[in-house]
Every structure is written in C-alpha cells, then in structure tokens.
Amino acid sequence: MQSILPLPTQPLKPGTSTGQQFWHTDAAKTIDSYSPADGQLIARVTETTRADYDRVVETAQAAFAEWRQVPAPRRGEIVRQMGEQFRHYKRELGTLVSYEMGKSLQEGLGEVQEIIDICDFAVGQSRQLYGLSMHSERPAHRMMEQWHPLGVVGIISAFNFPVAVWSWNAMLAWVCGDVCIWKPSEKTPLTALACQQIIGDVLRNNNVPEGVSCVITGGRTTGEWLARDPRIALVSATGSTRMGKAIAESVAGRLGKSLLELGGNNAIIVSEHADLDLAIPAIVFGAVGTAGQRCTTTRRIIVQERIYGDVKDRLKRAYAQLRIGNPLDESFHVGPVIDQSAVHSYQVAVQEIGEAGGQFIVEPGVLDGPGFESGCYVKPCIAEAENSWPVVQRETFAPILYLLKYTTLDDAIAQQNAVPQGLSSAIFTLNLREAERFLSVAGSDCGIANINIGTSGAEIGGAFGGEKETGGGRESGSDAWKAYMRRQTNTINYGTTMPLAQGITFEL
Ligand code: UN1
C-alpha cells in the first residue's frame, strides 16, 4: 500500500518555537515513525542529544524572562491566534493524527477540536487569573494573593492523544506566562512537529521570543532529563502508571512539581433502571473507540444480575456490527492499535483471561490479510470475568471489555472502586436515588463520575484527571490553570503604626 505522505529525504529536526534554531548534531540518532494503519515509514526525526537539550532549556529560560512580562490578556490574544490556525488546519492535522496514531478520522478531527476548544478556554482564562483578597486582622493592613508563572514547564505526552493533551497543558501554561518544552511520545513525533509548524507563524508574527514553545524528541532517557532537571519547574506527564511513578520519584526528589495523568481502569455500572438504548452505544464507543487506547476507555461493565443476559445479548449484537479497518476510511469504526508491542500486550491479556477461566462472549483475534498488512489490527472482544483477577485489575491498552455482574448497588460501587486506578466512571440509571448515591461520598472514587454517559469523551471545560494510581493531577478546564502558577501571599501596611499579628507586643 502506498503511504499518503512522501517521506522527506532529510530527518526532521525538532527545536524551539520559530524554527530559526533547529539544532542538529550529525551524530544524533533518529526516531522512525511508522503508521499502524498501513505499516509505512512516514517520518524520520532526529533524536535530541543531551547538548541540544541543554541549549533548548537555556533558550527557554531566557524566553521566560521576557514572556512573563507580556500582559496575560496579550498572551491570551496570541493563543487565540493559535486557535485560529488550528481551525484552519483541522482537517490536515486530524488526518495526520489518524494516520500516525491509528485512531479513526472522526476521532482525529475530534482531537484537533479539543485543541481549538482549549485555546478558546485559555483566551478567557488569560483575563481571569484571579487571586483572593483577605481582611487583615491588623488595622490599616490589606492582604491578598497573586498568581505568578512558574517558569519552564516540561510536557511529556503519550501516543494515544498525540496533540490534544499537549495543548491542554501548553495553552494554559502560555496564558499563565510559562514557557513549554514538549516531549511527545517517540511513537508519534510527526504530529508534534506539525503542531509546532502550525503555530510557527503566530509566534513569528507576534515577535514571541524564541524558546516559548520547544519540542524535544526521544524516549525514556529524554523524559528523565526533564524529570531530574531543577530548571524545569513543572513536569506534566501523561502515560502509564509505571512511567508516572518513575517521573514522580525523580521530580519529588528535587522537590519540583509534577502533574500526572496516568492509567485508568474505567467501569460503567448498568442498573436494572438503565435505558439500554443509551447504555449500549455508550459502552461500545467507550470500549472500542481509539481501539481501547484512551486512558478513559471503558474496560469493565458491571451489570445488575436481572438484566445481565439482556445486556450480554445486546452487546454481542452491537459488536457483530463493528467494522475494523483503515482509520482514514470512514466506513470503519475501529482502527489499529499503535504497534506490534500493543498487539503483544493484547495477546498476553487474552491468554491470561483464558487461563483465569474467563469466557469470551465476543472472540478476540489478530487480523491478517489485505488491508491488515501492518499487523496492528485486533478484534475488540468481550470476556465474562471476575473483578479480582490480576488481568482485570490492570490497564491493558487494547479493546478488551470485561463483563461483571452485581446484585446490590453498593456491591456494584464496591467493585467499581476495587481497582488501583481512579480515572473515570459512569452509571446508567434513570433512578434518582441510584444516580445521587453514585455521585455521593459513598459512591465512585474516581476523578470523573458520569450519569447516563460513558467514561470517555470528556469535554475540556471540566478538570480532567483521576485519583489513586491515575496520579491525582487535573488538567484542562475548571481551575486546572493553578497548577501552572505559583501563589504569593502579600500583606500591605498602609498605616502609621507597626502592629504585629497574633497581638504580640514587641517594644524597643
Ligand atoms: C487520554 O486518553 O489521555 O475524555 C485523554 C477523553 C478525551 C481525553 C482522553 N477527551 O476520552
């Protein structure tokens, strides 16, 4: 099959924002990006060397000294212009996301829409970086707090949302007055360089200092540079819990700040009071969307025993209609997983389910033959399982759905919570008491809890993130901007005496 992109003759080079300084060391290694859609090599990108990395950080630091002085609404205006660029290139970038990462074109376009939405959000936020004011206990004194930017923010993003999650971080960080160094996943470097190109004109036209937006490329070692580097004020990392623990340890070791958005093991409770016409499509999209590779993917459904048989039959019928194939062809629902190692994890999980005694009600399998030459297409499957099985307890980034049974709602909530992760959760019920109980303090322990919608597809306006092994971070909407700033408390004496707090007297 012919690749949709001509492969450039020279390796692409990451660097800082405006493209004036795309460093390149001849000895640098390259990262090859293959499309899981057709197996084609679509880009060869130079890997950032340690020397280049240090130059990037120095440039970013110098840029910060200038950028923080630019009024926040003016920074917002620049982000607004970036949003316009993403609107303009939505189709092209969405297509590239779909091709490089393998998610369906609709989801690729949706991902670019998330960038546009967070740009809009950040523009408004740029005029709302509010601090509180307090009444001082002393006469003729005033207290207030203000928010200042942190400095250099390192963004480590995952392959599954190769561009949107960067933008949640970067757009907010920029309006807050920070500068960003982005390390995209080594599986999707091309989409990152495309974003850097898309915003390049905006940065140049507005004379934004070199280094406000930087991209570095590499794998784990490059991520560790950011984590260990005291010059990086905040490391925001998205990926596996294993990766997040390593990053958290390094960053905490130097008392830096981290913002973690890690694995999920998201469940939907289906009550006997559910409207199944809503529940079934939500479950199927949640389980097979992005080929099961969202951190918000629905991995478990917990079904009331009286409707268990009905739900099982409906899911089987729905899965029978799924069409798997090239993500750029909109007649298919499910594209490939990212690479052979993801196929391997799927196969390992499938074997473990069998060994644990799980029954597949929709059979797994790896597809081959015409259209599947990349070897990355797997069949979405459903297994009847037990919540306590180790395979059910961990996040396998693949379209495997576990079907669990419950008797009472408390039992369902207990199962939903009895996993190490705490990202997203949902209940389908038309019963008000059940819905409210699920959202109550005795309900879901996740960062996201939904009623009558699925676990994935969160809007950018809410704070996004989760508890327990999901890492505790919150990104995108609500007051997530505070993670990108430092708080300063100010007390001002405008009187003629020098009273001390707590009524202490101290006379000279
Ligand atoms: C992720 O998988 O890392 O809620 C992010 C969703 C998307 C974001 C997922 N808006 O599914």
Side-chain angles (χ1 to χ4, degrees):
M1 206 183 296
Q2 193 60 38
S3 163
I4 65 165
L5 292 170
L7 187 65
T9 45
Q10 287 295 315
L12 301 165
K13 297 159 199 162
T16 59
S17 44
T18 61
Q20 290 157 10
Q21 295 185 32
F22 272 45
W23 295 296
H24 174 50
T25 311
D26 284 336
K29 288 188 278 182
T30 55
I31 298 171
D32 290 341
S33 176
Y34 292 91
S35 167
D38 57 13
Q40 297 288 325
L41 175 64
I42 63 171
R44 179 161 282 166
V45 177
T46 29
E47 195 174 310
T48 304
T49 63
R50 177 70 209 200
D52 285 349
Y53 167 80
D54 282 324
R55 275 197 288 272
V56 168
V57 177
E58 280 157 27
T59 310
Q61 282 182 304
F64 174 59
E66 276 186 64
W67 183 242
R68 66 183 174 183
Q69 306 280 5
V70 175
R74 170 80 195 128
R75 296 192 297 250
E77 162 57 19
I78 292 166
V79 165
R80 189 194 66 74
Q81 293 174 28
M82 291 182 188
E84 290 299 298
Q85 288 294 94
F86 284 109
R87 278 186 172 85
H88 184 75
Y89 289 110
K90 179 173 173 181
R91 186 104 209 149
E92 289 80 356
L93 183 60
T95 306
L96 185 59
V97 165
S98 171
Y99 189 46
E100 188 178 39
M101 184 277 155
K103 63 176 68 179
S104 72
L105 180 59
Q106 276 303 307
E107 292 181 80
L109 295 171
E111 185 163 349
V112 183
Q113 188 59 45
E114 284 205 43
I115 306 184
I116 296 165
D117 293 343
I118 196 72
C119 286
D120 287 353
F121 184 93
V123 176
Q125 191 66 66
S126 72
R127 292 181 183 267
Q128 300 175 83
L129 303 173
Y130 300 143
L132 297 171
S133 67
M134 302 88 183
H135 288 255
S136 168
E137 62 191 56
R138 287 169 278 189
H141 279 57
R142 184 165 71 80
M143 283 173 73
M144 63 171 196
E145 59 187 23
Q146 28 168 8
W147 293 87
H148 291 310
L150 287 174
V152 184
V153 172
I155 302 167
I156 299 174
S157 63
F159 75 85
N160 66 331
F161 271 80
V163 295
V165 176
W166 156 74
S167 73
W168 297 350
N169 287 278
M171 300 306 165
L172 283 184
W174 284 328
V175 299
C176 289
D178 299 312
V179 301
C180 299
I181 300 179
W182 177 17
K183 190 201 90 62
S185 164
E186 64 271 41
K187 295 175 183 177
T188 50
L190 189 53
T191 42
L193 296 187
C195 288
Q196 185 81 328
Q197 290 296 316
I198 287 170
I199 62 172
D201 280 347
V202 174
L203 296 166
R204 273 187 291 273
N205 295 344
N206 290 279
N207 295 317
V208 171
E210 183 71 36
V212 165
S213 171
C214 312
V215 178
I216 57 173
T217 46
R220 198 180 150 158
T221 311
T222 317
E224 279 169 5
W225 292 341
L226 288 168
R228 294 200 183 133
D229 190 339
R231 296 172 295 180
I232 311 298
L234 170 71
V235 179
S236 173
T238 307
S240 68
T241 294
R242 215 177 101 201
M243 177 280 296
K245 282 182 178 167
I247 299 273
E249 240 179 81
S250 297
V251 178
R254 60 176 175 85
L255 299 182
K257 291 182 179 8
S258 56
L259 201 175
L260 302 172
E261 205 264 279
L262 312 174
N265 194 347
N266 318 294
I268 294 180
I269 297 173
V270 188
S271 143
E272 70 269 39
H273 304 296
D275 179 343
L276 293 184
D277 290 339
L278 301 186
I280 300 299
I283 293 167
V284 178
F285 177 73
V288 312
T290 323
Q293 300 168 107
R294 291 192 190 208
C295 55
T296 52
T297 290
T298 307
R299 308 207 175 276
R300 301 175 293 145
I301 57 167
I302 308 170
V303 185
Q304 215 287 332
E305 59 190 2
R306 280 194 287 278
I307 56 160
Y308 185 85
D310 188 17
V311 170
K312 190 164 130 176
D313 289 345
R314 287 193 192 218
L315 280 173
K316 272 196 208 170
R317 285 203 296 276
Y319 268 57
Q321 291 165 34
L322 287 177
R323 289 169 46 88
I324 307 164
N326 192 312
L328 291 165
D329 178 338
E330 293 201 65
S331 65
F332 296 116
H333 303 99
V334 186
V337 291
I338 186 70
D339 58 13
Q340 296 292 335
S341 92
V343 175
H344 180 70
S345 307
Y346 167 89
Q347 287 170 315
V348 168
V350 161
Q351 189 173 345
E352 232 178 291
I353 295 163
E355 283 165 8
Q359 292 293 324
F360 283 97
I361 63 155
V362 176
E363 287 296 325
V366 179
L367 295 162
D368 55 17
F372 304 123
E373 288 86 354
S374 72
C376 296
Y377 292 84
V378 301
K379 285 192 198 163
C381 61
I382 308 178
E384 298 187 277
E386 296 285 339
N387 196 56
S388 58
W389 294 349
V391 68
V392 179
Q393 292 281 311
R394 72 168 192 265
E395 178 190 48
T396 301
F397 238 37
I400 302 173
L401 182 64
Y402 301 110
L403 195 53
L404 313 169
K405 203 181 276 182
Y406 79 87
T407 314
T408 64
L409 182 64
D410 282 349
D411 164 34
I413 292 172
Q415 288 192 58
Q416 129 74 33
N417 291 343
V419 289
Q421 310 83 353
L423 179 55
S424 188
S425 59
I427 186 170
F428 277 80
T429 181
L430 299 178
N431 180 305
L432 180 72
R433 286 186 182 147
E434 286 189 337
E436 290 292 333
R437 181 147 183 86
F438 183 70
L439 300 184
S440 78
V441 64
S444 165
D445 64 0
C446 291
I448 298 170
N450 295 334
I451 308 291
N452 294 330
I453 70 160
T455 58
S456 69
E459 301 176 18
I460 61 94
F464 184 90
E467 304 302 328
K468 302 192 291 186
E469 285 197 354
T470 304
R474 290 296 184 281
E475 291 175 332
S476 87
S478 185
D479 63 353
W481 61 273
K482 290 180 177 170
Y484 305 88
M485 303 199 88
R486 63 186 168 87
R487 184 197 313 240
Q488 187 176 68
T489 305
N490 308 122
T491 309
I492 301 135
N493 177 358
Y494 60 91
T496 54
T497 58
M498 188 59 222
L500 297 175
Q502 296 89 45
I504 293 172
T505 54
F506 180 78
E507 283 175 14
L508 287 175

